[in-house]
Amino acid sequence: MPAEAVSRLDSCLNWPVMAVPVVNVSPETKWVFGAAVQGYFKCPNQQKTSIVQLDGAYSLSKQWYLNTSGVLYMGKRSSWILTYSLGYRDYPDKYYLRGNTFESKSDTAYTSRRFRLMAQPMYVFSPHWAIGLNTHYQYETAKGTFTSSSLATLNYLGIGLALQYDSRDVTFYPSSGLFLKVTASDYETLNSHYSRFGMIKTDFRHFLPIYKGLLFAYQLRTEWALGKDIPFQFLPTLGGQDLVRGVRANMFRDNALLALQAELRVPIYAILSGTVFAGVGDVYNTEHWRWTTPKVGYGLGLRLTINPAKINIRVDIARNNLDNRWNTWDAYSLYLTATEAF
């Protein structure tokens, strides 16, 4: 390899590779233990930092996963972006009936084994705009104590388009800027007894600096699953550690999702900061629309910055508007993880 190329490669890879234990907790998984290796690199002709991550973990709910994911900025002045995720998981979980009402939310145990590949190669055609393909392959088997055609073996390939606008100053903990991504995909089943369906998603984020590190950030997300007899694994859902924290993940799902969440991010001292957050959203059936009180989650959090790329250790405690108890820990959700909700 020519000396100039070796020098250029060295300058790209002269960034920290960090191996950290994975210890987190949430109502959906209980305690999770594992490890993650994260690599960050930025070549001289690139404007943004790329990240590649390999992680695996096992939870006290007997769930385990192995995954690699990343965002790569390539080409002269980051003219190409590749977002990807590849992973396998064996996941005992709870199945809730489709819908947005709380009264009928009895749960049933089931276990899924899933292989998933997602790739979004995009071309940057202006300083902030990019367009490209959205591809998603998923093979999954699931077994429960009930019978449903939506729990049989899934084998789906989705192909569509992605459009992105990104003016954030940094990717992982922005202090200013806008982010918008719209994807539209057609999903074809490789199993003849399933139907074809479409999926449209939007993700809008705005980061507004207020004063000396004080930041207001908000996110608007919508998802639409279009078609009949859509497997429940593809129906939009809210809750969990990233969307309307305080609501249990996967408890509410249907073929339309609308959600809005916001945070006030407050610097405390050096690498320590805090946040006050709230989110509101719900799922809906577009064929049999039923209005219910939207699901609300809110809480407080702490952040500890662990590297120059502004990756944070995140601790959040949240409540929701579905449980009016204050004197029991069952009414609260604790999330301990890395990176931000948005």
Side-chain angles (χ1 to χ4, degrees):
M1 183 179 294
E4 181 181 352
V6 172
S7 176
R8 189 161 55 244
L9 180 61
D10 287 343
S11 64
C12 291
L13 299 180
N14 189 25
W15 277 69
V17 175
M18 180 179 62
V20 296
V22 172
V23 180
N24 62 54
V25 62
S26 72
E28 298 79 28
T29 62
K30 299 181 182 178
W31 284 95
V32 177
F33 304 94
V37 178
Q38 296 174 329
Y40 307 90
F41 57 93
K42 184 178 180 181
C43 296
N45 62 348
Q46 303 299 313
Q47 296 175 319
K48 294 189 176 182
T49 302
S50 297
I51 178 175
V52 175
Q53 176 171 305
L54 175 65
D55 60 294
Y58 180 83
S59 82
L60 295 185
S61 296
K62 298 182 179 179
Q63 304 154 331
W64 67 270
Y65 68 86
L66 183 64
N67 186 69
T68 179
S69 60
V71 180
L72 306 178
Y73 295 92
M74 303 172 291
K76 187 176 181 180
R77 298 185 64 81
S78 303
S79 56
W80 286 92
I81 307 170
L82 174 63
T83 303
Y84 77 92
S85 176
L86 172 66
Y88 178 84
R89 73 176 196 176
D90 189 315
Y91 222 73
D93 206 346
K94 293 182 179 180
Y95 170 80
Y96 297 87
L97 294 177
R98 176 175 174 173
N100 59 9
T101 58
F102 183 67
E103 292 78 8
S104 62
K105 286 303 171 184
S106 59
D107 59 82
T108 303
Y110 82 99
T111 298
S112 69
R113 294 175 174 87
R114 186 182 77 184
F115 171 81
R116 181 177 183 271
L117 171 63
M118 183 279 291
Q120 289 181 350
M122 305 184 74
Y123 175 69
V124 181
F125 62 89
S126 82
H128 301 302
W129 287 98
I131 191 170
L133 293 177
N134 180 53
T135 60
H136 176 196
Y137 173 74
Q138 184 164 318
Y139 179 87
E140 181 171 353
T141 60
K143 295 181 180 180
T145 57
F146 56 96
T147 57
S148 170
S149 61
S150 64
L151 284 180
T153 299
L154 299 179
N155 197 6
Y156 268 93
L157 177 64
I159 299 178
L161 295 176
L163 179 67
Q164 176 176 295
Y165 177 90
D166 190 357
S167 64
R168 296 172 297 177
D169 55 345
V170 296
T171 303
F172 307 110
Y173 195 78
S175 59
S176 64
L178 294 170
F179 175 84
L180 170 67
K181 180 178 282 188
V182 180
T183 61
S185 299
D186 177 73
Y187 282 82
E188 297 278 356
T189 178
L190 304 180
N191 296 353
S192 60
H193 58 284
Y194 280 117
S195 61
R196 172 183 177 184
F197 65 93
M199 187 77 70
I200 300 175
K201 299 181 181 182
T202 63
D203 181 355
F204 174 78
R205 311 176 189 186
H206 193 187
F207 303 90
L208 295 164
I210 299 175
Y211 180 74
K212 291 187 176 181
L214 186 65
L215 178 75
F216 178 74
Y218 66 93
Q219 178 190 34
L220 174 65
R221 274 182 56 178
T222 68
E223 297 184 16
W224 305 83
L226 309 174
K228 296 184 179 296
D229 300 323
I230 302 171
F232 85 93
Q233 294 94 327
F234 287 93
L235 292 174
T237 181
L238 83 166
Q241 66 184 22
D242 292 333
L243 185 63
V244 190
R245 282 157 283 177
V247 177
R248 193 192 192 283
N250 301 324
M251 179 176 284
F252 303 97
R253 68 171 80 229
D254 220 311
N255 65 321
L257 163 72
L258 302 173
L260 173 67
Q261 57 184 0
E263 289 191 0
L264 183 65
R265 299 175 179 176
V266 183
I268 297 176
Y269 179 75
I271 61 174
L272 182 66
S273 60
T275 182
V276 180
F277 59 86
V280 58
D282 216 339
V283 295
Y284 302 95
N285 189 310
T286 54
E287 293 185 359
H288 307 284
W289 192 277
R290 179 176 181 178
W291 172 261
T292 63
T293 301
K295 315 307 179 285
V296 177
Y298 55 92
L300 302 171
L302 289 175
R303 304 291 183 267
L304 183 68
T305 303
I306 57 176
N307 64 18
K310 293 190 176 181
I311 300 294
N312 289 334
I313 297 296
R314 170 161 62 106
V315 182
D316 290 330
I317 186 167
R319 287 179 49 84
N320 61 57
N321 64 332
L322 306 174
D323 193 330
N324 58 10
R325 298 173 298 169
W326 291 88
N327 60 348
T328 173
W329 279 110
D330 292 338
Y332 299 84
S333 297
L334 175 65
Y335 305 98
L336 170 61
T337 184
T339 71
E340 295 305 308
F342 65 93

